[in-house]
Amino acid sequence: MAIYEFAPGAQKTKDKAIHQVIGFTSDIINTKIKGNETVSNAKTSNQLPFSLNRWFIRCRACGYFETYSEETKALMDTQNQFDSCPNCGEVNPDKYQRPVKLKSPRAYRTNLSLGSDSKDDSEFLLSRPPIFAEKVNDPLNPDQQQAVNNADIVISDKDVTWRVNTNSDRYFTGRLYKTNNRFPFNPVSGYWFNDQWIVNDYAVNTNSNGYSIFVQNNIAGQDEQIALASNKKTEIFRISPASVPLELDLNMFSSDTDLPHIKAQSNGVRSGYYSGAFLLQRILADRLDVDPTEIEIADISMKTVNDGTDRKIAEIILTDELPNGSGFVRYLYDNFQNILHETLNPSNTNDYVGKIHTDIHKAKCKDACYDCLKVYRNMNYHSLLDWRLGLSMLRVLYDSSYVCGADGNFNSYIELSDWLAFAFTLRDSFAQSFGFTHLDDVKGLPVIKFGRNKKNIIMIVHPFWDLRNIREVNWLSEAKAEIDDYATGRNGMVSIIDTFNLHRRPGWCYEKLVNR
C-alpha cells in the first residue's frame, strides 16, 4: 500500500492536521552524545533510503515487463539491447519504456512540521499500480505445465510479482539531501538527518510556529528519476489458448498500422481476457470460500499461437496475494478442467457461477453488474468488464472448435443466445442518434446503408471475429462477401463496428469507424 498511499506528494491527515510526504529516509537512530539526545541516520550503504535498486522496462504494445540489476543493465546498454522491446520489437516511446530506476523505499518522511489545515494542490496523480509478473528462469526448478482441453496452463513458485508506481508515467525526480529540523523543544541546534532522498519540488526551506527545515545538498547526491516498487515471490498461474479457430482474432494488442476497426475490436478482446480472469478469480474464491482479493490478477502479456499462422494472443496471469503462495492458484491448476467445465455448465444455480447463468441475471445485465463481475476493488476495470465476453473467452479455452457465432450458431451458447437481438437494438439506437434511416440485414446480420444511392454500408459484428483475413467459408464469410459485393458494385465503402464499442461509446464509433 505504501508505494502509492505514501508516495511523494501524497497528503495524509493525522491529529486533524494534513501532512505531505516529501521523500524517503533511511533508519533513524536515537543516540546520546555527551549526555545530550540526538538522532542520526545509519551511514552504511545498505542503510540508504532504499532497500532495493534495480532497473525495469515495460512495453504497452505487448505487456512485456522485466527488471535488471545495475550490472546487467549497464552491459545490455552497451550492446544497444534496450533500443526496442526485447519481446515485440516496439520502438515507439509512447508504448515502449526504456530502462527506468526501480526502488523500494525503507521509510517515508514529511518536513516534520505541525502540518497544515487544508490540502494543497498537488500535481502528483496517485493511483493503485497494476501487478506485473516477471518470469525467473531456474533450470533446477522448472515450471509445471499441462494441456487441459484447449488451454495451456503453467504454474510456477519462483516467479516474482511487482507493483510499480510510476506517478502516471511522470516518475519521481529527486536526489539525496541533508536536512536540519528544528522544533520548539530544540530550537537552537535541531537535528541533522543525512541521506534523505527528497523530490526536488519539495526540497525547500520552511519555518512556521517554531518548526523549521533547512535543506542542504548532499555532495554525493545526483538527480535521478525513479519509480517506486514493491515485489514478492509467490505462486503464479498462467493460462492461454492452445489453439484459436481461424474465424477469431484474439489479439488484444493492436498496432499503429492496424485499421481503425481492428484497433477498436482489440478493446473488446481485452475485455474478454480481463472478464475471463475476474470470472476465474471469483469462481475460485467461491469454491475455496476465501476473499477474492486473496487471488490477484496480473497485467496480461502477449503470446504467439503455435500453429504456424504467427497470430498473436494473450496470457491470463493469476497469482496468490500472499508471499510464497497460499495454494489457491495451485488448486486452480490441479482442478482446472473441473472448474472450467463447471463454469460453462453449472450444476448449482445457487452458487456464484450458477446465478450468472440464470435467466433473471441474463435479462437484467447487458455487460457487468455487482452480481457478476463488478466489485469495489476492480473499479478501474468496470468500463471494460463484460460477463458474456468473459464466458466466450473461457469457452475458447474449453472447446477448440468454438467460433463465437461466426458459423451462425448463436442459440447453443448462453453468452451468444441474445447477441443478434442485442446487435439489432444497438444498431437501431445508433441509427436514430445519427440520422440513419435505411436499416437492413444481410443473412441476418444487422447493417445500415447510407449515402447517395445507399452506396455505403455499416456492418455490426462481434469483437472476437477476425475480419482482416477471412480464411474459412461460413455464415460470417458469406455475409461479408455479400456486403463487399454490395459496396463494390456501387463504388461505396464498408464500415465495421463491433458491439463492444457500439454499446459503450456510440459517438466515438460514429466519429472513428464510419467511412464517409
Side-chain angles (χ1 to χ4, degrees), residues 407-425:
D407 56 355
N409 180 13
F410 295 94
N411 294 328
S412 299
Y413 310 103
I414 182 174
E415 68 273 14
L416 297 177
S417 59
D418 58 355
W419 181 84
L420 274 178
F422 185 52
F424 273 98
T425 300

Side-chain angles (χ1 to χ4, degrees), residues 66 197 245 302 331 339 362 467:
E66 191 77 25
W197 198 100
M302 180 190 288
Y331 179 90
I339 291 174
K362 179 181 170 184
L467 293 163

